[in-house]
Amino acid sequence: MSSGFQPTPNMSLKPEAIHFRSLALQTQNQGDQALALLAFKNNSVSADPKRFLADWTPGNFSPCSWHGVICFPPGQVVHALNFTNAGLIGHLHINNLTVLENLRYLYFSGNSFSGDLFLNNSSHSCALETIDLSKNNLSDPISETFFTACKHLVSVNLSHNSIPGGSFNFGPSLVRLDLSNNN
């Protein structure tokens, strides 16, 4: 049985309805982004002595207002994370960040992240273009899955860690790779 509503050819949405729908989608998207970022914080950050991520709380679903989060267009989509010299300590879980489809830049230099760069091939595709994890505590070999999944990488800085040597298959987009001062 039909509801009785029949659209007519000259029916149009009012600008207010279009704005409300756009705002609702933006809010939903920001909520999803906030959940992904909170998952990263909970899984990767064991200590935050400088309280760099103090405003990253479950009650605040506006990640574009959080410290270290850069959005583009402003206020809408998480585009970059800048944790340079934030003093964060933990075991890095990159998988939590690859669900952010528009995340292009990670600046995590000068922290104390350990672990490796492992991406599960079944996880979301990696849109990252620039990664700076220099001056951390990374000591595990770099996983081949990381470079397979992150096909758009242009710049990777992993200098000043303890990453052992190896050979890797990088995508054709890679222009800059810094592995200096490692094992």
Side-chain angles (χ1 to χ4, degrees):
M1 186 121 131
S2 112
S3 66
F5 175 76
Q6 296 294 322
T8 60
N10 57 359
M11 178 183 263
S12 63
L13 289 174
K14 294 182 179 182
E16 299 84 23
I18 294 170
H19 175 72
F20 178 75
R21 177 156 168 64
S22 173
L23 186 60
L25 288 173
Q26 179 181 339
T27 303
Q28 177 187 9
N29 190 31
Q30 285 194 356
D32 293 343
Q33 293 176 103
L35 290 174
L37 291 170
L38 289 170
F40 170 78
K41 177 185 175 185
N42 291 335
N43 293 326
S44 294
V45 180
S46 58
D48 182 6
K50 294 182 180 180
R51 299 190 36 80
F52 188 87
L53 303 178
D55 61 347
W56 286 41
T57 60
N60 180 355
F61 278 93
S62 298
C64 294
S65 68
W66 295 354
H67 196 222
V69 177
I70 301 161
C71 293
F72 185 81
Q76 293 184 24
V77 180
V78 175
H79 192 67
L81 297 176
N82 187 351
F83 299 167
T84 303
N85 297 318
L88 301 174
I89 301 166
H91 188 87
L92 194 60
H93 293 276
I94 291 280
N95 274 337
N96 292 123
L97 297 176
T98 58
V99 298
L100 298 168
E101 297 171 355
N102 294 293
L103 182 63
R104 300 292 188 263
Y105 307 97
L106 292 182
Y107 302 104
F108 287 10
S109 178
N111 290 285
S112 292
F113 283 116
S114 63
D116 62 14
L117 295 177
F118 174 78
L119 287 176
N120 182 347
N121 278 337
S122 65
S123 69
H124 295 82
S125 64
C126 174
L128 292 169
E129 296 175 9
T130 299
I131 296 175
D132 184 352
L133 283 164
S134 61
K135 300 176 186 171
N136 275 279
N137 291 327
L138 300 175
S139 59
D140 293 340
I142 301 170
S143 168
E144 285 289 329
T145 62
F146 178 76
F147 295 111
T148 303
C150 294
K151 298 173 184 164
H152 306 288
L153 283 173
V154 174
S155 176
V156 176
N157 185 351
L158 299 172
S159 66
H160 300 277
N161 282 286
S162 297
I163 301 169
S167 62
F168 311 104
N169 292 324
F170 298 103
S173 61
L174 193 67
V175 174
R176 181 178 178 272
L177 174 65
D178 188 349
L179 292 170
S180 64
N181 297 303
N182 277 284
N183 290 341

